[in-house]
Amino acid sequence: LRLDAEVVRDSVLAVGGSLDFARSGPDIDYVEGEKVLRRSLYFRHAYEKQMRMLTLFDAASPNECYRRTISIVPQQALALANSPMVVAQSRKLAATLSADSAIADDSAFVTAGFETVLSRPPTADEVAACVEFLSAERGRLAQTGTLSSFDAGPAIDTPPAADPAQRARENLVQVLINHTDFVTRR
């Protein structure tokens, strides 16, 4: 069963260590959805003014007595892959995990990433695939002459790491946030 839209958004902020748990206060305008770190329950609910990420993940419909539909559509994965908030939180979590002195190598990073993001240890096959991904991504990112820079979508407040190894780790954390286990409850 997939998590509710608000829980998905709050979980992204929580794993990045940025979720603001402050209680009460005014409601938040939907256009601030990618910027405000408050819990999703504080967003204003109106049919014509809903945060895009929440509507993609089937937020409660204010026109239908707050009934929720359940859908699985490609746009949900794209929202997690392209959201500036998700990218920023991925970068923050990767930096936090990399700063831990107990995480010395890629295998330890993969295990810490799985446990933090997915709340479970990785299988041996998952560790192998992720370590291979980190190695290949590090190699690609180190070849700065072959990379193309482009502007797409809104700006992201947290810049990518300059170090190719750390940038590869940021990308892996973003992939883990896009994993089915992150948005489902078992």
Side-chain angles (χ1 to χ4, degrees), residues 20-120:
D20 180 358
F21 289 99
R23 292 184 180 188
S24 71
D27 58 350
I28 303 166
D29 193 46
Y30 75 101
V31 296
E32 298 294 317
E34 292 283 334
K35 300 172 193 152
V36 173
L37 304 178
R38 302 251 349 252
R39 293 183 53 213
S40 298
L41 70 94
Y42 291 105
F43 282 102
R44 187 175 305 133
H45 288 279
Y47 180 75
E48 68 282 351
K49 297 178 180 177
Q50 295 182 27
M51 187 182 141
R52 180 102 172 116
M53 182 178 192
L54 296 182
T55 58
L56 284 173
F57 281 95
D58 307 320
S61 173
N63 281 2
E64 298 174 17
C65 297
Y66 293 95
R67 181 174 294 145
R68 292 180 189 269
T69 59
I70 298 173
S71 67
I72 299 173
V73 294
Q75 291 84 346
Q76 294 164 343
L78 291 170
L80 290 176
N82 297 319
S83 164
M85 179 190 67
V86 173
V87 173
Q89 297 309 309
S90 300
R91 291 172 179 172
K92 288 179 181 181
L93 178 57
T96 301
L97 294 176
S98 295
D100 186 345
S101 60
I103 302 174
D105 63 355
D106 285 344
S107 294
F109 181 83
V110 169
T111 300
F114 266 76
E115 290 173 351
T116 304
V117 176
L118 304 179
S119 299
R120 68 171 177 84

Side-chain angles (χ1 to χ4, degrees), residues 131-144:
V131 167
E132 182 180 328
F133 169 80
L134 288 172
S135 176
E137 190 74 357
R138 188 172 36 247
R140 272 192 293 280
L141 293 169
Q143 298 173 354
T144 55

